[in-house]
Amino acid sequence: MNDEKPLFEVTDLSVKFHTRLGEVAVLDHIHLNVGAGETVAVVGESGSGKSVMAFAALGILDPAGKVTSGSVRFADHDLLTLRKAALDDLRGRELAMIFQAPRTALNPILPVGRQIEDVLARHSDLSRSDRRDAAVAQLASVKITDPAKRYHNFPYELSGGMCQRVMIAIALACKPRLLIADEPTTGLDVTTQVVIMDLIAELAAANGMATLLITHDLGLASDYCARIAVMHAGQILESASARTLFKSPRHPYTARLFAATPRPGATLESLTSIPGQLPDLRQPQPPCRFSTRCERVQPGCTEPGLVLTPMPTDSAHLLACRNPL
Amino acid sequence: MTPLLSLDAVHKRFPLGEKPGLLARAFGANKPQSMLHAVENVSFDLHPGESIGLVGESGCGKSTLVRLVTRLLDTSEGRILFNERHIGDVPAHDFARHAERARIQQVFQDPTDSLNPRFTAFDCIADPLRRLGATPLPEAKPMSAAAVKARVEEAADQVSLPRALLARYPHQLSGGQKLRVGIARGIALKPQLLILDEPTSALDVSVQAVILHLLAELRRELGLSYLFVSHDLNVVRLLCDRVMVMYLGKIVESGPVEAVFAAPKHPYTQALMAAVSKFDPDSGETRIRLTDDPQSPIDPDPHCCRFYSRCYKKQRACEQAMPERDGKSVHQVACFFPNRLDEAS
């Protein structure tokens, strides 16, 4: 990491949800940076709080969720304290998000072209007909064939891959500086998945856009992101360049995650599962929420004050573990 | 060795729209009805104890093929032999009472949707036993309640589902536990063939690893044959002996897992393999990408390769005749130019 301030900075972010069954500490003191033009992945199992982090940062958290500590900074703005009008100016223009499940995220009763126009109507002073041309150009930029015709299509008339392209077209309509992509390829065929990821990477490189990829797929993260943060039960346990993380993971959970993922060259014998399951976050948690599942746990692990700290040898490699590998 | 399951030139076509009415036909408007070719000319043998992986993108006909094998759908053409008996001729609605019904079982894709929410885990597993379970021949009487209970508990033990969970309803179980219930239901009748339809796609990697080990173990211990449908090639490689790659209703490549993975020959298989992550940030291999959408499966041109529109090495010959797999070799490919790998650019 260099000295200049990162574009997007999550500092000490904690989120709690109030439920019938008590308070659930979904995020626990999260730290995450994304530099300008950088590609970063947040990897974790379902329920680890990846999406909640994105929602909290964009101010679209479910009403039951409350930010209890920390800040989210984007360029010169503090997103958590920004007035709603200022936030509305930012979101969709400088800060965009691709949501999970494009078919449900798109408006089912509006032609897809109009949905792209909506963003332009809010954030640009283009005339009606210019907006329309821009929407068609935007559809073409995500490599939809025959964009002028597709402009009039409704989401149900398009395939899953096409809907995802439309989502990308909407998110990138105003050339944002940061794109948060929440599981952008889940549910798509593998061949479509790589085409969509290539497209995001290509457009990001062309516009100098930073990308925060939220995924459960380690392979996808390693293929497309320079840096990976590993999340477990609302905590970031390790963060390093993809190369470092793959060559020498230091956190036991990261190593376990790699060992549990079927990948080329692995055999069934070498595939080991992660013992236990995600902890019940309604209960008070130890400082390291992985410690109940960890085979390297030691008495010191229960002491408070565990923070994500840079490794002495590599300041870009952050780790929150008292007994690393 | 006689195969357990043998498909010979199986086709499935679905008619689309309404049949032309009497008047239309009388006045000579004899435009044939549109047909969706879901499965076309599929032949393969599955031997006892063997595990075959079936891969392909959504909409390629994997599920239709599975339904033909489980006899939930009738074939349009072709023969299906199971234990050397023609089961393809039995109408689907009669197959529920057929003797082979109990020998072919399936684990369904979504562990939640495939369990009856008003059945406890015990009832889910017991259901096939109550319907199809029978004492050994010649009596062949329905199983007694005690026998059903004993078998359910045995099946639960085999899939490492704690017996205490048998009294629970699906919504009280985790995803991994629900899948175990689904697998226990699949093996309760001691089938010979278990069809697994994307069993682990809804699970996290940590749970997936346990289930993959369980499936490998069950196959070894019970001598099951698997037809394993998946889109995750890395999973198929771990669990299967052979793999079949399906594209728009046709098997375009088949062979031993190692051979196909080491040197995929069909351009579609190559694109599939290229899409699989190498889990190595340094691997700078060039990837083959599929642009455009697949061709329509409705009334396809019988003399043009199904993959033609997306193929990177299409030639004149590919739109003049349909390539078929040659039946002799172990590693079969339905492509006219399987060996011209380097002409990709």
Side-chain angles (χ1 to χ4, degrees), chain A residues 45-46 198 243 263 268 271, chain B residues 204 206 213 237 282 289:
Chain A
E45 294 176 75
S46 53
D198 282 355
R243 193 168 288 111
R263 48 182 167 153
L268 196 59
L271 193 73
Chain B
D204 274 319
S206 60
H213 277 288
R237 203 177 52 84
D282 289 330
R289 292 292 186 257

Side-chain angles (χ1 to χ4, degrees), chain A residues 190-248:
Chain A
V190 279
T191 47
T192 317
Q193 174 169 321
V194 287
V195 173
I196 294 289
M197 286 309 298
D198 282 355
L199 182 65
I200 294 178
E202 189 185 303
L203 295 171
N207 300 336
M209 177 178 73
T211 315
L212 180 62
L213 174 71
I214 295 174
T215 180
H216 66 277
D217 188 341
L218 270 171
L220 202 67
S222 76
D223 286 349
Y224 289 96
C225 292
R227 207 147 54 78
I228 299 177
V230 178
M231 203 161 172
H232 172 268
Q235 293 180 318
I236 295 210
L237 300 180
E238 187 169 12
S239 155
S241 74
R243 193 168 288 111
T244 311
L245 208 63
F246 274 70
K247 292 241 166 67
S248 53

Side-chain angles (χ1 to χ4, degrees), chain A residues 94-219:
Chain A
E94 300 217 336
L95 193 60
M97 180 155 175
I98 298 175
F99 293 92
Q100 276 185 45
R103 232 175 254 285
T104 32
L106 290 172
N107 186 338
I109 55 164
L110 210 58
V112 294
R114 290 278 303 282
Q115 303 189 40
I116 301 174
E117 273 189 33
D118 279 352
V119 188
L120 298 168
R122 173 67 181 79
H123 292 295
S124 74
D125 41 18
L126 294 175
S127 70
R128 187 90 204 269
S129 64
D130 285 349
R131 284 207 299 270
R132 190 194 175 86
D133 294 343
V136 173
Q138 198 59 28
L139 285 173
S141 78
V142 291
K143 295 176 184 152
I144 286 181
T145 45
D146 206 354
K149 202 172 134 204
R150 290 295 178 201
Y151 175 96
H152 300 285
N153 280 145
F154 290 93
Y156 76 90
E157 295 174 304
L158 302 176
S159 67
M162 292 269 251
C163 283
Q164 195 54 270
R165 281 166 207 254
V166 172
M167 282 294 292
I168 297 172
I170 293 173
L172 302 189
C174 295
K175 303 217 180 327
R177 291 156 77 188
L178 174 69
L179 174 72
I180 301 178
D182 188 2
E183 302 269 12
T185 59
T186 305
L188 300 181
D189 285 311
V190 279
T191 47
T192 317
Q193 174 169 321
V194 287
V195 173
I196 294 289
M197 286 309 298
D198 282 355
L199 182 65
I200 294 178
E202 189 185 303
L203 295 171
N207 300 336
M209 177 178 73
T211 315
L212 180 62
L213 174 71
I214 295 174
T215 180
H216 66 277
D217 188 341
L218 270 171

Side-chain angles (χ1 to χ4, degrees), chain B residues 7-201:
Chain B
L7 267 69
D8 185 16
V10 168
H11 292 253
K12 178 66 192 177
R13 292 179 286 264
F14 293 101
L16 290 175
E18 301 216 341
K19 282 189 177 164
L22 191 65
L23 268 176
R25 273 181 282 140
F27 284 100
N30 48 6
K31 183 173 170 278
Q33 194 174 13
S34 287
M35 286 286 192
L36 189 148
H37 293 235
V39 169
E40 187 150 303
N41 200 14
V42 167
S43 308
F44 69 90
D45 290 343
L46 177 66
H47 294 282
E50 196 183 24
S51 171
I52 294 188
L54 181 64
V55 298
E57 60 191 353
S58 53
C60 76
K62 298 188 299 263
S63 297
T64 305
L65 183 57
V66 162
R67 281 181 205 148
L68 292 173
V69 172
T70 48
R71 301 300 297 108
L72 298 171
L73 275 179
D74 286 326
T75 56
S76 303
E77 232 180 274
R79 294 185 303 168
I80 301 176
L81 273 83
F82 186 76
N83 280 331
E84 297 184 294
R85 296 170 71 172
H86 286 272
I87 60 165
D89 304 339
V90 186
H93 63 272
D94 290 344
F95 194 72
R97 288 178 296 280
H98 195 271
E100 303 298 340
R101 168 78 285 168
R103 306 272 80 87
I104 306 175
Q105 290 289 303
Q106 185 173 357
V107 177
F108 293 91
Q109 183 166 11
D110 189 312
T112 307
D113 285 351
S114 61
L115 297 180
N116 188 332
R118 301 176 67 165
F119 276 14
T120 60
F122 182 93
D123 288 327
C124 286
I125 303 171
D127 198 34
L129 292 168
R130 288 174 184 149
R131 287 171 190 275
L132 296 165
T135 52
L137 292 168
E139 303 106 45
K141 277 186 267 178
M143 289 172 82
S144 67
V148 167
K149 182 167 187 289
R151 179 65 194 130
V152 169
E153 287 177 348
E154 190 188 2
D157 292 347
Q158 281 170 331
V159 299
S160 315
L161 182 76
R163 288 188 185 186
L165 298 182
L166 287 174
R168 292 204 190 170
Y169 287 92
H171 73 269
Q172 298 167 311
L173 299 170
S174 72
Q177 289 163 346
K178 277 185 276 201
L179 187 57
R180 284 177 203 268
V181 173
I183 297 172
R185 177 175 62 183
I187 63 168
L189 284 162
K190 302 187 177 162
Q192 290 171 291
L193 172 62
L194 192 62
I195 295 173
L196 298 145
D197 191 359
E198 305 248 12
T200 61
S201 62

